[in-house]
């Protein structure tokens, strides 16, 4: 490993972190200095999040030993100096890596002191999400505990409005809608909001394309990048952190909000469809169709699945014309697996 780190091999080896440090140095040279680097700057730039999240994960493991600020920073410096990137870096890049570790250790210790680091450990949320939720998402709704109803519109809109302020979502919107660098992504906020709501009401990709007057290929690009990769991720983390935040104030986030990440993931419009999908019905359309015809109460899901399976089998020809052979065969198989489990 030492030979590789020192480039003693025939082919040079370049670490991703070392390349990222070089990029940061070049960027900072145009706008600020290492001494002016802050946690706000690190958290505000999406292209730095891979570095920040990686450093945070390391520091959280160290913080589990209940180290003080000084001890944590000493260990952070040692890790920075012995990292693979440090063997490839010049003095300015090593100083930058040390600065990043020091800044993030300050943030981790502050969270540990306030008790918020426990939220990170229990939810798996990224540490930088804590402040973003507390300062950004929480104020968007006057009383989160009062929200009710499946797919509460106020909650969905709040999540969307909050996500538009986040760098990772902004970057994926730019990619999905092919917006030139320098042009604002705000022009696609409403189309993306419409996309999310169509997805949640159960529309298929071809139907979403028709509603938005775009090609199916673009719908798939929006879904895979801006929606599934970015928005779903921040929405899930935002909700779990919000739940912890309210719980610390002796308030409970209602199920209409806590279940939103599942509705986003499965793309279904009601509780029964969600229960079919979460239980193992693989085709989204099948889960929605079954949910619209067979109510699945929380207390007797098995009974509802038995009824659905029997009804689909007894009306095989109609379901075949509706779904086609592949979807019908798979769905009957899924229902059998659910009942056998």
């Amino acid at each position: 490993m030492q030979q590789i780190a020192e480039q003693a091999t025939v082919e040079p080896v370049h670490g991703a972190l070392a390349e990222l440090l070089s990029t940061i140095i070049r960027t900072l040279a145009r706008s600020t200095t290492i001494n002016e680097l802050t946690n706000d700057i690190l958290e505000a730039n999406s292209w730095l999040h891979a570095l920040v999240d990686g450093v945070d994960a390391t520091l959280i493991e160290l913080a589990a030993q209940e180290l003080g600020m000084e001890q944590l920073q000493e260990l952070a410096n040692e890790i920075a100096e012995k990292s693979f990137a440090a063997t490839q870096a010049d003095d300015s890049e090593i100083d930058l890596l040390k600065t990043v570790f020091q800044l993030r250790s300050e943030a981790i210790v502050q969270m540990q002191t306030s008790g918020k680091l426990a939220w990170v450990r229990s939810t798996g949320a990224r540490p930088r999400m804590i402040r973003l939720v507390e300062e950004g998402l929480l104020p968007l709704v006057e009383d989160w505990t009062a929200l009710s109803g499946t797919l509460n519109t106020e909650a969905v809109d709040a999540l969307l409005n909050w996500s538009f302020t986040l760098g990772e979502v902004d970057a994926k919107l730019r990619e999905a809608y092919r917006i030139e660098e320098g042009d604002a992504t705000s022009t696609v906020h409403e189309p993306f909001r419409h996309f999310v709501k169509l997805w949640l009401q159960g529309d298929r990709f071809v139907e979403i394309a028709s509603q938005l007057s775009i090609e199916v290929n673009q719908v798939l690009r929006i879904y895979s990048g801006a929606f599934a990769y970015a928005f779903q991720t921040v929405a899930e983390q935002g909700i779990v952190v919000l739940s912890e935040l309210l719980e610390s104030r002796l308030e409970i986030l209602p199920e209409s909000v806590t279940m939103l990440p599942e509705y986003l993931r499965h793309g279904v419009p009601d509780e029964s469809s969600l229960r079919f999908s979460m239980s193992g019905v693989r085709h989204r359309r099948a889960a929605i169709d079954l949910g619209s015809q067979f109510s699945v109460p929380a207390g007797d899901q098995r009974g509802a699945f038995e009824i659905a399976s029997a009804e689909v089998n007894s009306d095989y020809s109609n379901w075949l014309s509706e779904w086609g052979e592949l979807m019908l065969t798979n769905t009957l198989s899924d229902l059998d697996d659910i009942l056998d489990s």
Side-chain angles (χ1 to χ4, degrees), residues 310-326:
E311 291 291 334
V312 172
N313 274 297
S314 67
D315 198 13
Y316 190 95
S317 58
N318 283 334
W319 287 103
L320 180 63
S321 63
E322 184 70 22
W323 286 346
E325 185 174 359
L326 177 63

mmCIF file with all atom_site columns, all heavy atoms in Angstrom, residues 310-326:
data_model
loop_
_atom_site.group_PDB
_atom_site.id
_atom_site.type_symbol
_atom_site.label_atom_id
_atom_site.label_alt_id
_atom_site.label_comp_id
_atom_site.label_asym_id
_atom_site.label_entity_id
_atom_site.label_seq_id
_atom_site.pdbx_PDB_ins_code
_atom_site.Cartn_x
_atom_site.Cartn_y
_atom_site.Cartn_z
_atom_site.occupancy
_atom_site.B_iso_or_equiv
_atom_site.pdbx_formal_charge
_atom_site.auth_seq_id
_atom_site.auth_comp_id
_atom_site.auth_asym_id
_atom_site.auth_atom_id
_atom_site.pdbx_PDB_model_num
ATOM 1   N N   . ALA A 1 310 ? -58.415 -14.423 -4.167  1.00 0.00 ? 310 ALA A N   1
ATOM 2   C CA  . ALA A 1 310 ? -59.545 -15.239 -4.607  1.00 0.00 ? 310 ALA A CA  1
ATOM 3   C C   . ALA A 1 310 ? -60.331 -14.546 -5.714  1.00 0.00 ? 310 ALA A C   1
ATOM 4   O O   . ALA A 1 310 ? -60.734 -15.187 -6.715  1.00 0.00 ? 310 ALA A O   1
ATOM 5   C CB  . ALA A 1 310 ? -60.456 -15.541 -3.412  1.00 0.00 ? 310 ALA A CB  1
ATOM 6   N N   . GLU A 1 311 ? -60.564 -13.265 -5.578  1.00 0.00 ? 311 GLU A N   1
ATOM 7   C CA  . GLU A 1 311 ? -61.334 -12.515 -6.571  1.00 0.00 ? 311 GLU A CA  1
ATOM 8   C C   . GLU A 1 311 ? -60.603 -12.434 -7.909  1.00 0.00 ? 311 GLU A C   1
ATOM 9   O O   . GLU A 1 311 ? -61.206 -12.558 -8.979  1.00 0.00 ? 311 GLU A O   1
ATOM 10  C CB  . GLU A 1 311 ? -61.626 -11.107 -6.049  1.00 0.00 ? 311 GLU A CB  1
ATOM 11  C CG  . GLU A 1 311 ? -62.606 -11.053 -4.896  1.00 0.00 ? 311 GLU A CG  1
ATOM 12  C CD  . GLU A 1 311 ? -64.018 -11.417 -5.322  1.00 0.00 ? 311 GLU A CD  1
ATOM 13  O OE1 . GLU A 1 311 ? -64.359 -11.231 -6.510  1.00 0.00 ? 311 GLU A OE1 1
ATOM 14  O OE2 . GLU A 1 311 ? -64.780 -11.921 -4.477  1.00 0.00 ? 311 GLU A OE2 1
ATOM 15  N N   . VAL A 1 312 ? -59.284 -12.200 -7.859  1.00 0.00 ? 312 VAL A N   1
ATOM 16  C CA  . VAL A 1 312 ? -58.513 -12.118 -9.110  1.00 0.00 ? 312 VAL A CA  1
ATOM 17  C C   . VAL A 1 312 ? -58.526 -13.468 -9.815  1.00 0.00 ? 312 VAL A C   1
ATOM 18  O O   . VAL A 1 312 ? -58.681 -13.544 -11.045 1.00 0.00 ? 312 VAL A O   1
ATOM 19  C CB  . VAL A 1 312 ? -57.060 -11.654 -8.834  1.00 0.00 ? 312 VAL A CB  1
ATOM 20  C CG1 . VAL A 1 312 ? -56.205 -11.762 -10.099 1.00 0.00 ? 312 VAL A CG1 1
ATOM 21  C CG2 . VAL A 1 312 ? -57.052 -10.211 -8.322  1.00 0.00 ? 312 VAL A CG2 1
ATOM 22  N N   . ASN A 1 313 ? -58.368 -14.543 -9.064  1.00 0.00 ? 313 ASN A N   1
ATOM 23  C CA  . ASN A 1 313 ? -58.403 -15.886 -9.668  1.00 0.00 ? 313 ASN A CA  1
ATOM 24  C C   . ASN A 1 313 ? -59.764 -16.204 -10.260 1.00 0.00 ? 313 ASN A C   1
ATOM 25  O O   . ASN A 1 313 ? -59.854 -16.811 -11.336 1.00 0.00 ? 313 ASN A O   1
ATOM 26  C CB  . ASN A 1 313 ? -58.036 -16.934 -8.610  1.00 0.00 ? 313 ASN A CB  1
ATOM 27  C CG  . ASN A 1 313 ? -56.539 -17.135 -8.485  1.00 0.00 ? 313 ASN A CG  1
ATOM 28  O OD1 . ASN A 1 313 ? -55.882 -17.569 -9.435  1.00 0.00 ? 313 ASN A OD1 1
ATOM 29  N ND2 . ASN A 1 313 ? -55.995 -16.807 -7.322  1.00 0.00 ? 313 ASN A ND2 1
ATOM 30  N N   . SER A 1 314 ? -60.834 -15.791 -9.578  1.00 0.00 ? 314 SER A N   1
ATOM 31  C CA  . SER A 1 314 ? -62.178 -16.121 -10.062 1.00 0.00 ? 314 SER A CA  1
ATOM 32  C C   . SER A 1 314 ? -62.581 -15.278 -11.263 1.00 0.00 ? 314 SER A C   1
ATOM 33  O O   . SER A 1 314 ? -63.430 -15.677 -12.063 1.00 0.00 ? 314 SER A O   1
ATOM 34  C CB  . SER A 1 314 ? -63.198 -15.922 -8.939  1.00 0.00 ? 314 SER A CB  1
ATOM 35  O OG  . SER A 1 314 ? -63.309 -14.554 -8.596  1.00 0.00 ? 314 SER A OG  1
ATOM 36  N N   . ASP A 1 315 ? -61.958 -14.122 -11.424 1.00 0.00 ? 315 ASP A N   1
ATOM 37  C CA  . ASP A 1 315 ? -62.284 -13.236 -12.553 1.00 0.00 ? 315 ASP A CA  1
ATOM 38  C C   . ASP A 1 315 ? -61.055 -13.099 -13.457 1.00 0.00 ? 315 ASP A C   1
ATOM 39  O O   . ASP A 1 315 ? -60.719 -12.016 -13.931 1.00 0.00 ? 315 ASP A O   1
ATOM 40  C CB  . ASP A 1 315 ? -62.717 -11.868 -12.014 1.00 0.00 ? 315 ASP A CB  1
ATOM 41  C CG  . ASP A 1 315 ? -63.481 -11.058 -13.053 1.00 0.00 ? 315 ASP A CG  1
ATOM 42  O OD1 . ASP A 1 315 ? -63.888 -11.636 -14.081 1.00 0.00 ? 315 ASP A OD1 1
ATOM 43  O OD2 . ASP A 1 315 ? -63.644 -9.846  -12.848 1.00 0.00 ? 315 ASP A OD2 1
ATOM 44  N N   . TYR A 1 316 ? -60.393 -14.224 -13.663 1.00 0.00 ? 316 TYR A N   1
ATOM 45  C CA  . TYR A 1 316 ? -59.100 -14.266 -14.344 1.00 0.00 ? 316 TYR A CA  1
ATOM 46  C C   . TYR A 1 316 ? -59.119 -13.574 -15.706 1.00 0.00 ? 316 TYR A C   1
ATOM 47  O O   . TYR A 1 316 ? -58.228 -12.792 -16.041 1.00 0.00 ? 316 TYR A O   1
ATOM 48  C CB  . TYR A 1 316 ? -58.665 -15.725 -14.506 1.00 0.00 ? 316 TYR A CB  1
ATOM 49  C CG  . TYR A 1 316 ? -57.242 -15.910 -14.979 1.00 0.00 ? 316 TYR A CG  1
ATOM 50  C CD1 . TYR A 1 316 ? -56.215 -16.105 -14.076 1.00 0.00 ? 316 TYR A CD1 1
ATOM 51  C CD2 . TYR A 1 316 ? -56.930 -15.908 -16.342 1.00 0.00 ? 316 TYR A CD2 1
ATOM 52  C CE1 . TYR A 1 316 ? -54.904 -16.288 -14.485 1.00 0.00 ? 316 TYR A CE1 1
ATOM 53  C CE2 . TYR A 1 316 ? -55.624 -16.083 -16.770 1.00 0.00 ? 316 TYR A CE2 1
ATOM 54  C CZ  . TYR A 1 316 ? -54.615 -16.266 -15.844 1.00 0.00 ? 316 TYR A CZ  1
ATOM 55  O OH  . TYR A 1 316 ? -53.321 -16.428 -16.273 1.00 0.00 ? 316 TYR A OH  1
ATOM 56  N N   . SER A 1 317 ? -60.129 -13.841 -16.511 1.00 0.00 ? 317 SER A N   1
ATOM 57  C CA  . SER A 1 317 ? -60.148 -13.334 -17.891 1.00 0.00 ? 317 SER A CA  1
ATOM 58  C C   . SER A 1 317 ? -60.226 -11.807 -17.932 1.00 0.00 ? 317 SER A C   1
ATOM 59  O O   . SER A 1 317 ? -59.583 -11.162 -18.770 1.00 0.00 ? 317 SER A O   1
ATOM 60  C CB  . SER A 1 317 ? -61.312 -13.942 -18.669 1.00 0.00 ? 317 SER A CB  1
ATOM 61  O OG  . SER A 1 317 ? -62.543 -13.635 -18.025 1.00 0.00 ? 317 SER A OG  1
ATOM 62  N N   . ASN A 1 318 ? -61.005 -11.217 -17.031 1.00 0.00 ? 318 ASN A N   1
ATOM 63  C CA  . ASN A 1 318 ? -61.108 -9.752  -17.014 1.00 0.00 ? 318 ASN A CA  1
ATOM 64  C C   . ASN A 1 318 ? -59.794 -9.096  -16.572 1.00 0.00 ? 318 ASN A C   1
ATOM 65  O O   . ASN A 1 318 ? -59.378 -8.083  -17.133 1.00 0.00 ? 318 ASN A O   1
ATOM 66  C CB  . ASN A 1 318 ? -62.244 -9.308  -16.083 1.00 0.00 ? 318 ASN A CB  1
ATOM 67  C CG  . ASN A 1 318 ? -63.614 -9.493  -16.718 1.00 0.00 ? 318 ASN A CG  1
ATOM 68  O OD1 . ASN A 1 318 ? -63.745 -9.485  -17.948 1.00 0.00 ? 318 ASN A OD1 1
ATOM 69  N ND2 . ASN A 1 318 ? -64.634 -9.696  -15.898 1.00 0.00 ? 318 ASN A ND2 1
ATOM 70  N N   . TRP A 1 319 ? -59.158 -9.690  -15.562 1.00 0.00 ? 319 TRP A N   1
ATOM 71  C CA  . TRP A 1 319 ? -57.866 -9.158  -15.120 1.00 0.00 ? 319 TRP A CA  1
ATOM 72  C C   . TRP A 1 319 ? -56.801 -9.364  -16.200 1.00 0.00 ? 319 TRP A C   1
ATOM 73  O O   . TRP A 1 319 ? -55.904 -8.538  -16.363 1.00 0.00 ? 319 TRP A O   1
ATOM 74  C CB  . TRP A 1 319 ? -57.438 -9.813  -13.809 1.00 0.00 ? 319 TRP A CB  1
ATOM 75  C CG  . TRP A 1 319 ? -58.230 -9.357  -12.623 1.00 0.00 ? 319 TRP A CG  1
ATOM 76  C CD1 . TRP A 1 319 ? -59.228 -10.039 -11.983 1.00 0.00 ? 319 TRP A CD1 1
ATOM 77  C CD2 . TRP A 1 319 ? -58.121 -8.091  -11.958 1.00 0.00 ? 319 TRP A CD2 1
ATOM 78  N NE1 . TRP A 1 319 ? -59.748 -9.292  -10.952 1.00 0.00 ? 319 TRP A NE1 1
ATOM 79  C CE2 . TRP A 1 319 ? -59.077 -8.085  -10.914 1.00 0.00 ? 319 TRP A CE2 1
ATOM 80  C CE3 . TRP A 1 319 ? -57.318 -6.980  -12.131 1.00 0.00 ? 319 TRP A CE3 1
ATOM 81  C CZ2 . TRP A 1 319 ? -59.244 -7.012  -10.045 1.00 0.00 ? 319 TRP A CZ2 1
ATOM 82  C CZ3 . TRP A 1 319 ? -57.479 -5.897  -11.272 1.00 0.00 ? 319 TRP A CZ3 1
ATOM 83  C CH2 . TRP A 1 319 ? -58.433 -5.917  -10.247 1.00 0.00 ? 319 TRP A CH2 1
ATOM 84  N N   . LEU A 1 320 ? -56.924 -10.455 -16.942 1.00 0.00 ? 320 LEU A N   1
ATOM 85  C CA  . LEU A 1 320 ? -55.972 -10.714 -18.023 1.00 0.00 ? 320 LEU A CA  1
ATOM 86  C C   . LEU A 1 320 ? -56.072 -9.636  -19.100 1.00 0.00 ? 320 LEU A C   1
ATOM 87  O O   . LEU A 1 320 ? -55.060 -9.132  -19.605 1.00 0.00 ? 320 LEU A O   1
ATOM 88  C CB  . LEU A 1 320 ? -56.236 -12.092 -18.630 1.00 0.00 ? 320 LEU A CB  1
ATOM 89  C CG  . LEU A 1 320 ? -55.323 -12.514 -19.788 1.00 0.00 ? 320 LEU A CG  1
ATOM 90  C CD1 . LEU A 1 320 ? -53.876 -12.622 -19.320 1.00 0.00 ? 320 LEU A CD1 1
ATOM 91  C CD2 . LEU A 1 320 ? -55.802 -13.848 -20.381 1.00 0.00 ? 320 LEU A CD2 1
ATOM 92  N N   . SER A 1 321 ? -57.293 -9.261  -19.440 1.00 0.00 ? 321 SER A N   1
ATOM 93  C CA  . SER A 1 321 ? -57.472 -8.220  -20.463 1.00 0.00 ? 321 SER A CA  1
ATOM 94  C C   . SER A 1 321 ? -57.023 -6.858  -19.943 1.00 0.00 ? 321 SER A C   1
ATOM 95  O O   . SER A 1 321 ? -56.596 -5.997  -20.724 1.00 0.00 ? 321 SER A O   1
ATOM 96  C CB  . SER A 1 321 ? -58.939 -8.166  -20.910 1.00 0.00 ? 321 SER A CB  1
ATOM 97  O OG  . SER A 1 321 ? -59.781 -7.795  -19.833 1.00 0.00 ? 321 SER A OG  1
ATOM 98  N N   . GLU A 1 322 ? -57.125 -6.666  -18.648 1.00 0.00 ? 322 GLU A N   1
ATOM 99  C CA  . GLU A 1 322 ? -56.737 -5.389  -18.043 1.00 0.00 ? 322 GLU A CA  1
ATOM 100 C C   . GLU A 1 322 ? -55.227 -5.267  -17.879 1.00 0.00 ? 322 GLU A C   1
ATOM 101 O O   . GLU A 1 322 ? -54.640 -4.214  -18.142 1.00 0.00 ? 322 GLU A O   1
ATOM 102 C CB  . GLU A 1 322 ? -57.424 -5.249  -16.673 1.00 0.00 ? 322 GLU A CB  1
ATOM 103 C CG  . GLU A 1 322 ? -57.188 -3.914  -15.978 1.00 0.00 ? 322 GLU A CG  1
ATOM 104 C CD  . GLU A 1 322 ? -57.903 -2.763  -16.658 1.00 0.00 ? 322 GLU A CD  1
ATOM 105 O OE1 . GLU A 1 322 ? -58.896 -3.018  -17.387 1.00 0.00 ? 322 GLU A OE1 1
ATOM 106 O OE2 . GLU A 1 322 ? -57.463 -1.614  -16.485 1.00 0.00 ? 322 GLU A OE2 1
ATOM 107 N N   . TRP A 1 323 ? -54.589 -6.333  -17.445 1.00 0.00 ? 323 TRP A N   1
ATOM 108 C CA  . TRP A 1 323 ? -53.165 -6.272  -17.085 1.00 0.00 ? 323 TRP A CA  1
ATOM 109 C C   . TRP A 1 323 ? -52.227 -6.925  -18.107 1.00 0.00 ? 323 TRP A C   1
ATOM 110 O O   . TRP A 1 323 ? -51.069 -6.548  -18.195 1.00 0.00 ? 323 TRP A O   1
ATOM 111 C CB  . TRP A 1 323 ? -52.931 -6.987  -15.748 1.00 0.00 ? 323 TRP A CB  1
ATOM 112 C CG  . TRP A 1 323 ? -53.415 -6.234  -14.554 1.00 0.00 ? 323 TRP A CG  1
ATOM 113 C CD1 . TRP A 1 323 ? -53.785 -4.929  -14.484 1.00 0.00 ? 323 TRP A CD1 1
ATOM 114 C CD2 . TRP A 1 323 ? -53.582 -6.762  -13.226 1.00 0.00 ? 323 TRP A CD2 1
ATOM 115 N NE1 . TRP A 1 323 ? -54.170 -4.601  -13.210 1.00 0.00 ? 323 TRP A NE1 1
ATOM 116 C CE2 . TRP A 1 323 ? -54.049 -5.702  -12.410 1.00 0.00 ? 323 TRP A CE2 1
ATOM 117 C CE3 . TRP A 1 323 ? -53.374 -8.012  -12.646 1.00 0.00 ? 323 TRP A CE3 1
ATOM 118 C CZ2 . TRP A 1 323 ? -54.314 -5.867  -11.047 1.00 0.00 ? 323 TRP A CZ2 1
ATOM 119 C CZ3 . TRP A 1 323 ? -53.639 -8.178  -11.291 1.00 0.00 ? 323 TRP A CZ3 1
ATOM 120 C CH2 . TRP A 1 323 ? -54.109 -7.107  -10.509 1.00 0.00 ? 323 TRP A CH2 1
ATOM 121 N N   . GLY A 1 324 ? -52.722 -7.910  -18.809 1.00 0.00 ? 324 GLY A N   1
ATOM 122 C CA  . GLY A 1 324 ? -51.828 -8.701  -19.645 1.00 0.00 ? 324 GLY A CA  1
ATOM 123 C C   . GLY A 1 324 ? -51.306 -9.896  -18.858 1.00 0.00 ? 324 GLY A C   1
ATOM 124 O O   . GLY A 1 324 ? -51.357 -9.930  -17.621 1.00 0.00 ? 324 GLY A O   1
ATOM 125 N N   . GLU A 1 325 ? -50.775 -10.871 -19.578 1.00 0.00 ? 325 GLU A N   1
ATOM 126 C CA  . GLU A 1 325 ? -50.400 -12.140 -18.943 1.00 0.00 ? 325 GLU A CA  1
ATOM 127 C C   . GLU A 1 325 ? -49.257 -11.989 -17.946 1.00 0.00 ? 325 GLU A C   1
ATOM 128 O O   . GLU A 1 325 ? -49.286 -12.560 -16.848 1.00 0.00 ? 325 GLU A O   1
ATOM 129 C CB  . GLU A 1 325 ? -50.014 -13.166 -20.022 1.00 0.00 ? 325 GLU A CB  1
ATOM 130 C CG  . GLU A 1 325 ? -49.730 -14.550 -19.447 1.00 0.00 ? 325 GLU A CG  1
ATOM 131 C CD  . GLU A 1 325 ? -49.489 -15.591 -20.531 1.00 0.00 ? 325 GLU A CD  1
ATOM 132 O OE1 . GLU A 1 325 ? -49.566 -15.243 -21.726 1.00 0.00 ? 325 GLU A OE1 1
ATOM 133 O OE2 . GLU A 1 325 ? -49.227 -16.756 -20.168 1.00 0.00 ? 325 GLU A OE2 1
ATOM 134 N N   . LEU A 1 326 ? -48.232 -11.214 -18.293 1.00 0.00 ? 326 LEU A N   1
ATOM 135 C CA  . LEU A 1 326 ? -47.064 -11.093 -17.409 1.00 0.00 ? 326 LEU A CA  1
ATOM 136 C C   . LEU A 1 326 ? -47.443 -10.469 -16.071 1.00 0.00 ? 326 LEU A C   1
ATOM 137 O O   . LEU A 1 326 ? -47.108 -11.010 -14.999 1.00 0.00 ? 326 LEU A O   1
ATOM 138 C CB  . LEU A 1 326 ? -45.974 -10.256 -18.078 1.00 0.00 ? 326 LEU A CB  1
ATOM 139 C CG  . LEU A 1 326 ? -44.717 -9.991  -17.232 1.00 0.00 ? 326 LEU A CG  1
ATOM 140 C CD1 . LEU A 1 326 ? -44.015 -11.313 -16.912 1.00 0.00 ? 326 LEU A CD1 1
ATOM 141 C CD2 . LEU A 1 326 ? -43.768 -9.035  -17.943 1.00 0.00 ? 326 LEU A CD2 1
#
